Amino acid sequence: MTERRVKMLFICTGNSARSQMAEGLTRAMSDGQVECYSAGTEPKPIHPLAIRAMAEVGLDISKNVSKGLAQFLDEDFDYVISVCARAAETCPTWPRSREQIRWHFDDPAEAAAPEEDRLRVFRRVRNEILQRLSLMMLAAKIPMKAEGEQGMNRVIFACVHNAGQSQMAAAFFNTMADPQKALATAAGARPYRSC
């Protein structure tokens, strides 16, 4: 008898960037072991820069279609994860989920800048979603596809000085994670050095 796959729904306002990236990343990270979907409270076409940002990490979401929440209301989910504050406010409770999680990521589509600068925002948000998903899947013991040369998932915690928060987060992560499957390190943009 095969185990039932974990089922996730990612929601945001437009279902054009953040939730689509989260769906694509989850599908790739779990190697198809997680049944995942995304939807929006006010669906819009998928943003071309979301497609580009995902293509840079080898994932094609160009064929994805934006969907509304209504088509999922009668489905059971293990996790319903809102990736923006507006969606969490619009949909405060999900009727058929085991656990509802609220994350907030900046809306990369709102960045008013030249295209290359906007693409940098999409990349940052993509990477933030990837990090949050990695932690969540490890904590929930959801199987992840092996990464890297030795099948090791690598996580980096970064802060400005690398003197406190990032060090504690990496240490805490490493006490919880299977050392054969994941390893966390800490780094800082301007590392603090004692005299």
Side-chain angles (χ1 to χ4, degrees):
M1 181 182 205
T2 58
E3 286 187 27
R4 184 183 68 84
R5 290 194 299 168
V6 172
K7 195 171 175 184
M8 291 186 191
L9 174 67
F10 295 96
I11 60 174
C12 69
T13 305
N15 190 217
S16 63
R18 291 165 288 184
S19 55
Q20 292 283 354
M21 291 192 289
E23 177 187 349
L25 289 166
T26 302
R27 188 167 286 119
M29 290 165 64
S30 70
D31 203 17
Q33 296 305 303
V34 172
E35 188 178 341
C36 52
Y37 305 91
S38 65
T41 56
E42 302 166 26
K44 298 176 184 171
I46 298 179
H47 199 290
L49 292 180
I51 294 170
R52 277 184 63 186
M54 293 294 280
E56 290 178 351
V57 294
L59 300 176
D60 182 8
I61 62 168
S62 64
K63 305 283 190 302
N64 288 17
V65 177
S66 293
K67 301 163 290 295
L69 297 178
Q71 73 182 76
F72 296 104
L73 284 176
D74 294 328
E75 293 193 41
D76 295 316
F77 291 96
D78 295 291
Y79 300 97
V80 173
I81 302 173
S82 56
V83 292
C84 76
R86 274 183 60 199
E89 291 167 9
T90 306
C91 183
T93 57
W94 191 263
R96 302 175 66 96
S97 72
R98 183 168 67 85
E99 189 170 345
Q100 190 160 345
I101 300 171
R102 297 178 183 199
W103 294 341
H104 173 72
F105 300 102
D106 293 337
D107 185 354
E110 290 183 353
E115 186 167 297
E116 277 308 307
D117 291 340
R118 295 174 72 206
L119 182 57
R120 277 193 278 278
V121 178
F122 275 84
R123 289 175 182 139
R124 174 178 60 78
V125 172
R126 176 203 64 206
N127 293 343
E128 289 171 357
I129 293 170
L130 176 62
Q131 289 179 334
R132 188 78 59 91
L133 280 169
S134 296
L135 290 172
M136 181 260 187
M137 291 171 74
L138 282 168
K141 297 183 172 24
I142 297 170
M144 284 192 286
K145 182 178 177 181
E147 300 273 335
E149 293 178 1
Q150 299 164 344
M152 176 74 72
N153 289 291
R154 300 192 181 276
V155 178
I156 187 165
F157 292 92
C159 65
V160 176
H161 298 296
N162 192 30
Q165 295 166 324
S166 57
Q167 293 283 345
M168 290 186 290
F172 183 64
F173 179 95
N174 286 332
T175 62
M176 294 191 330
D178 181 340
Q180 301 299 314
K181 294 182 179 176
L183 176 67
T185 55
R190 295 190 301 274
Y192 174 80
R193 288 176 173 77
S194 59
C195 298

